[in-house]
Amino acid sequence: MNAQLKYVVDELKALYPKKDYNIIEFDGFEPDQLVQILSNVICTIESKEAVNTRSENREMTIKRLLNSLYIMKYRPPSGNEYDLAQSLFLGEKSAILPLLEWLLKERPTLEKRAYLGRYLIKIEVPPALRGDSNLEELFENYEQLLETFKDAHREREQHLSAGSNTGELRGDLAVMEREREIVVAKVATLQKTRVEGSKANAALLARVKALRESRAKRDMLLEQKARLQTTCVEMERFVARTKQQVAEARRAAHGVTPQGLLQRAEEEEKVSTYIANEKIPADMKSGQTQLQLLREVASQTCLTRSDLAQVEQQVRALSSEVNALLERRMAAADPADDKLTPFKQQAAMLGRKKEAAAEALGELKKESAALKSKLEKIQGQLMPGEELPLTEEQFKKYMGQLKPRTELFKAKRSQLSSQTAECGVLSRTLEILRSNHELAQRQLGDEERRLGLSGYSSTASQLAEVNATKTELDLQKESKLEALSKTILELNQIIASKKAKLAPAIQELRPLREQYQASLADFNKLKQVYDATAANLGSASNKIEQEIKQIEEETRQAASEAALFGAKTEVVDAQKEVLVQEMAFYKSGDKSKSLRERLNAKIAEEEKRGRHLKEAQRAMKDSEPANERQTMLWENVERCTRPNTLSKTFLHLSHSETFAGFLPRNSGT
């Protein structure tokens, strides 16, 4: 656990250098902080901006984290995703710490997996919406783009893994440049020596031009010939397909009568009439209804929980009304209608069967058209000279011809396997005999060297070859044979003495060997008992550890709840003390010291102050016009006192509304 914690802290410090994490601080983090760190690491791997989990709903946070872990193919140790979701919701360190270790260890692989998952996870389209042709076409284009992305990514990975050496390419380019220069120099030399220096220069150029034109014409004719051959092959295929269709039509027409054809035509006409008059209008009506519902849903705003609760309440009310109406209808039902009910049910069942048969017919037609297009595509892909695929009859005939050959092949294969096994046994026997022979030769050579008779066997062969010296070597041979017989006797005596010495030890070894076998059997039994006991103890200890962890978690939760209850109790005690003081003030009659009276006094004082301020505001609003007029008068007086603007001021005052009825006096008037 400590090593795991140290590894996670070190990796987080390397990943986020600005945040100074340490083991003690990280070990004391709260569950919300651990969930925030996990969210930050996952956002970093996915190359997204970090999300503040405190402002985000916890359920949305857990859903986002689980979706990311699903894309990264994380498997919980317990194998249960529900336990993982519950542990993440509670912010348990025992679940988040191994998850962080896995994310940080596999970060390069997970970054690539998250990048691919962002584009390769298909958008889920409900089956009810797949009937729309535009949406179906759009979804097919989407799938084609996904396949294109896969191919492009695969090619990119192949190029990255190949990693061509730039030095080698540069060397190849340099060599090619040198070769090009050499070729250009040779061409220039030939042009100077053979073309420009020749007298028949123009004739040679004309012949070269004619040769080039004839080669171009030959290439064109060859291309035209290839096109004609391709056209012939296609026509042959068309003829073969036509013949096959004619043969199938003949087989289908075999045993057909005019009445059967008329009956089939009538059935096809009924099916087509039903599809045109009932099936297609019903599908169009249901599609239009669904489209209208989708438009209404798209035009409406997003529903809240209160709106959903209101809608559910309306649905329940309407359901109860429908049930009540059905009960009334059943109570007031006519007996004659009850007699017609089975026939109505049968008619409805036949209608449903008819609709199902029409849908199955449509699907079969689509499948037949798809198979025909696939067959035409395969036939179009056939290379010139290739044969057409076998028909059903040709395939059956081929299988009939292949059956005896298969049986013959199986028989020959069994014979070959038996002969191969026998050959293996014989080769193994030959190898064993050769090895025994070589071993005997080596033992004989060792014995000869030990006895000083090295080369005895070679000497015998030499004696057979050299007949001329046979008489001279007979004496030596007899002497050596006597010495050899003596040596053999000595060896036999030594072997007998060794056997006599080892006989008591062998007799003592036999009971010991039996005792060892018995002890080995007892040991195996005891080992099995020990293994079973160890397995039971291991499972029991695991269960006890899980129970201890569960009890510790319950204890921690109980302690947190106790602390919360203690804080609430302190608040309630404080409120209780205030309440007791208030009751004491009211009982003593001294209400002026009570909290309620003090708050009421402050409220009354603030209300009185507010009234005074409103009255002052009202008085200022009433005196505002007079103050503005007085200010304007003083401004006019100030302008009049200025000598430069005296005449302009009087002219202005004569036209102003302030001095209406007053005229300026001129001199002498």
Side-chain angles (χ1 to χ4, degrees), residues 223-239 241 384:
E223 185 178 356
Q224 187 176 2
K225 180 182 178 182
R227 286 200 300 269
L228 291 174
Q229 288 178 353
T230 305
T231 306
C232 291
V233 171
E234 291 178 355
M235 294 302 297
E236 289 177 358
R237 291 176 183 171
F238 177 73
V239 170
R241 287 198 299 270

Side-chain angles (χ1 to χ4, degrees), residues 615-626:
E615 290 175 359
Q617 184 181 8
R618 194 180 299 112
M620 289 179 68
K621 286 184 179 180
D622 294 336
S623 62
E624 185 178 359

Side-chain angles (χ1 to χ4, degrees), residues 5 8 12 21 25-41 53-54 58 65 87-88 90-97 99-100:
L5 181 62
V8 170
L12 288 175
Y21 292 111
E25 182 183 1
F26 192 87
D27 194 25
F29 277 168
E30 297 294 330
D32 293 338
Q33 294 175 322
L34 293 175
V35 174
Q36 180 65 54
I37 291 173
L38 179 61
S39 176
N40 292 340
V41 172
T53 57
R54 295 182 179 178
R58 178 54 68 90
L65 296 178
S87 301
L88 292 178
L90 297 175
E92 295 180 356
K93 188 184 298 183
S94 59
I96 294 177
L97 201 60
L99 183 54
L100 284 172

Side-chain angles (χ1 to χ4, degrees), residues 125-173:
V125 179
L129 301 178
R130 295 296 292 271
D132 191 359
S133 60
N134 296 328
L135 185 61
E136 186 69 23
E137 183 179 359
L138 184 62
F139 191 75
E140 289 178 357
N141 293 333
Y142 168 70
E143 289 181 343
Q144 291 177 1
L145 289 174
L146 283 181
E147 295 297 329
T148 306
F149 175 77
K150 288 180 183 177
D151 296 337
H153 181 74
R154 192 179 297 111
E155 290 179 359
R156 176 181 175 273
E157 292 295 328
Q158 289 177 358
H159 286 307
L160 290 177
S161 60
S164 57
N165 191 355
T166 56
E168 294 179 358
L169 293 177
R170 289 176 180 175
D172 294 339
L173 288 174

Side-chain angles (χ1 to χ4, degrees), residues 59 99 112 120 154 202 256 276 316 330 354 359 364 389 469 477 509 533 551 564 580 603 632 654:
E59 294 180 357
L99 183 54
K112 180 179 177 181
L120 295 182
R154 192 179 297 111
V256 177
R316 286 195 293 270
M330 292 175 65
K354 200 173 182 181
E359 292 178 358
L364 289 174
T469 58
K477 183 178 179 181
L509 183 61
T533 307
I551 291 169
L564 180 62
V580 170
I603 292 169
M632 188 172 61
S654 65

